[in-house]
Amino acid sequence: MADYERTIAAVSSGLTESGISVIRISGPRALEVADRVYRSPGGRKKLSEQKTHTIHYGHAVAADGSVLDEVLASVMRAPKTYTREDTVELNCHGGVLVTRKVLEALFRAGAEPAEPGEFTKMAYLNGRIDLSQAEAVMDVIRAQNDFALSSSESQLSGSISRKVRHFRDIILDVTAQIEAALDDPEHYSVDSFRESAQQSIREVRAEMAQLSESFYDGKVLKEGIRTVILGRPNAGKSSLLNTFYGGDRAIVTEVPGTTRDLLEESVRWSGLSFLLTDTAGLRETEDKVEKIGVDRARNAARQADLILYLIDSTESREDFSSEDRDALASLSGRKCIVLLNKTDLAGEACAVEEEKRLREIFPDFPVLSISAREGLGIEKLKKRMAELFLNGKIAYNNEVILTNERQKMCLDDALQSIDLVLDNFDAGIPEDLLTVDLMDAYRSLGKIIGEEVEDDLADRIFEKFCMGK
Ligand code: GDP
């Protein structure tokens, strides 16, 4: 166990008016401190004499013996606790003032105020969780959608840690083989395992690269998919936003060019968040304000993770307008769905024909028929939008996905070192130099799980936590 002498206390449930608030006390003197504040109905029971994982009714009292609140005290002895230290949790009535008073009484009784994230830091320092799991704790708390929650729950249970340890094991194995051959050239020769070592490194590199590449999708899915609705004026962009939103969020008119600024809404389905942005219609215009709107639309499109491009099916279909062609050409290679709108007016046969034609003209993009106003084809569209990310397997996906920026940087450092190793293998560089880069990769990977992390870095990570966690 870490040499961690502090006994700390904080409100773990958030200091707002609520039914119950929870004060957590943790550390070597947690029971002793709690005893000074807790009083049983008969006045004789001591928490420090109770069995682990038991709950006790009583009161919290001030130093002068006056009753502060009615409480339930949970006694949890080390090591089976969140922090692996002795822990007492007091459930008080959830008023802000009463909770503060009980907390103050605990400070007077010898507890110190916990820093943000300090309980989780204790769990880390005491070896119950590693650094990637500690980071996942915060992500679980902050999760805004099902994807973010399930990926951070999986990371909390150690999915990233297991992968990283597996990478490290392989790297260490190869290093050990090389070292053995260098130490004892009479019995081992590097040449005999050169091929297999190279192969192992190549394989581990591929797995590491896959994990690193999962970061982009992971980050987008966690924070919300920035989805921009584009199209010429009157194509039905505001109507589509309203349909997604399920209310009248944007102004819908027959007058082209009414949406001049960007309108944003966050909506959720299939466990994902979509941050929808309606934009000014794309067209050449002399109107100064509209021009700014069009520029903003183009800018938003550049930063988007997904673009919904609307085309009005009732407009002349001889040839698509140059605006549509230019805009879609500039979106090549991006995640984009072309939507043929107002198909309620065009008739089904016409829509099918038109959809086919659009597919031929814009083979890069999926094409769907919808009616934004009547809500036709919207469920299919939603499904398609989700499918563009992680093949739509979000809820039941077992793949480990990296979502933490710091972890991604460490992984990429390790990848760079591995690439050096592979280059040097090819160039026939002496083996002792290979082990230098191998060990660099090993150390960079170690930083993900906190094995090669200096204290100040760990401190910086935990500072970002919320109070009481
Ligand atoms: P925007 O300029 O692209 O935002 O287009 P709007 O959403 O303001 O729609 C322009 C006009 O087209 C409005 O009169 C809408 O009611 C109409 N409109 C939009 N979508 C549909 C649709 O699916 N079917 C029909 N019939 N009309 C639509």
Side-chain angles (χ1 to χ4, degrees), residues 234-239 252-254 341-342 344-345 371-373:
N234 260 357
K237 298 178 293 300
S238 304
S239 304
V252 177
T253 66
E254 286 156 20
N341 191 28
K342 308 194 190 178
D344 54 309
L345 294 179
S371 165
R373 203 173 69 183

Side-chain angles (χ1 to χ4, degrees), residues 145-161:
N145 59 46
D146 292 359
F147 167 79
L149 184 58
S150 74
S151 71
S152 31
E153 291 279 9
S154 136
Q155 292 174 9
L156 178 57
S157 76
S159 59
I160 296 273
S161 320

Side-chain angles (χ1 to χ4, degrees), residues 8-158:
I8 55 174
V11 181
S12 280
S13 53
L15 207 50
T16 53
E17 224 169 82
S18 57
I20 296 172
S21 61
V22 179
I23 300 177
R24 187 187 268 160
I25 312 140
S26 178
R29 294 189 305 113
L31 290 158
E32 181 192 322
V33 168
D35 265 341
R36 294 203 188 113
V37 174
Y38 169 84
R39 195 168 70 202
S40 68
R44 280 207 292 274
K45 186 155 130 184
K46 285 188 155 183
L47 295 175
S48 53
E49 289 164 1
Q50 306 308 312
K51 285 197 182 128
T52 186
H53 292 80
T54 51
I55 299 182
H56 308 272
Y57 173 80
H59 289 88
V61 293
D64 63 4
S66 61
V67 171
L68 296 172
D69 196 11
E70 203 178 14
V71 296
L72 276 178
S74 311
V75 172
M76 292 168 279
R77 292 174 184 274
K80 289 197 171 172
T81 65
Y82 185 72
T83 55
R84 277 208 177 160
E85 310 267 337
D86 282 346
T87 301
V88 177
E89 283 178 7
L90 297 179
N91 287 13
C92 329
H93 290 128
V96 175
L97 182 63
V98 69
T99 309
R100 277 232 169 91
K101 285 195 178 257
V102 176
L103 188 63
E104 271 166 27
L106 288 165
F107 293 154
R108 277 210 195 91
E112 293 175 62
E115 313 271 344
E118 195 170 354
F119 294 108
T120 310
K121 186 171 163 185
M122 279 168 132
Y124 162 65
L125 292 175
N126 287 327
R128 193 178 68 79
I129 53 174
D130 68 30
L131 204 53
S132 75
Q133 289 171 302
E135 286 173 325
V137 167
M138 211 54 229
D139 287 341
V140 168
I141 294 170
R142 293 197 180 135
Q144 296 285 337
N145 59 46
D146 292 359
F147 167 79
L149 184 58
S150 74
S151 71
S152 31
E153 291 279 9
S154 136
Q155 292 174 9
L156 178 57
S157 76

Side-chain angles (χ1 to χ4, degrees), residues 179-251:
E179 294 283 355
L182 291 171
D183 282 355
D184 189 2
E186 275 178 36
H187 294 95
Y188 297 102
S189 107
V190 177
D191 289 337
S192 64
F193 65 83
R194 211 182 171 90
E195 279 293 308
S196 70
Q198 249 172 308
Q199 184 60 22
S200 306
I201 296 293
R202 255 191 238 112
E203 279 169 17
V204 80
R205 192 211 176 273
E207 282 187 62
M208 284 163 63
Q210 192 187 4
L211 185 61
S212 170
E213 279 156 22
S214 74
F215 178 76
Y216 171 70
D217 267 353
K219 193 170 150 56
V220 165
L221 297 176
K222 186 170 124 184
E223 291 170 6
I225 298 162
R226 285 168 302 177
T227 307
V228 168
I229 307 175
L230 279 190
R232 297 201 303 125
N234 260 357
K237 298 178 293 300
S238 304
S239 304
L240 183 61
L241 182 83
N242 285 340
T243 302
F244 276 132
Y245 178 57
D248 285 341
R249 177 65 175 81
I251 309 161

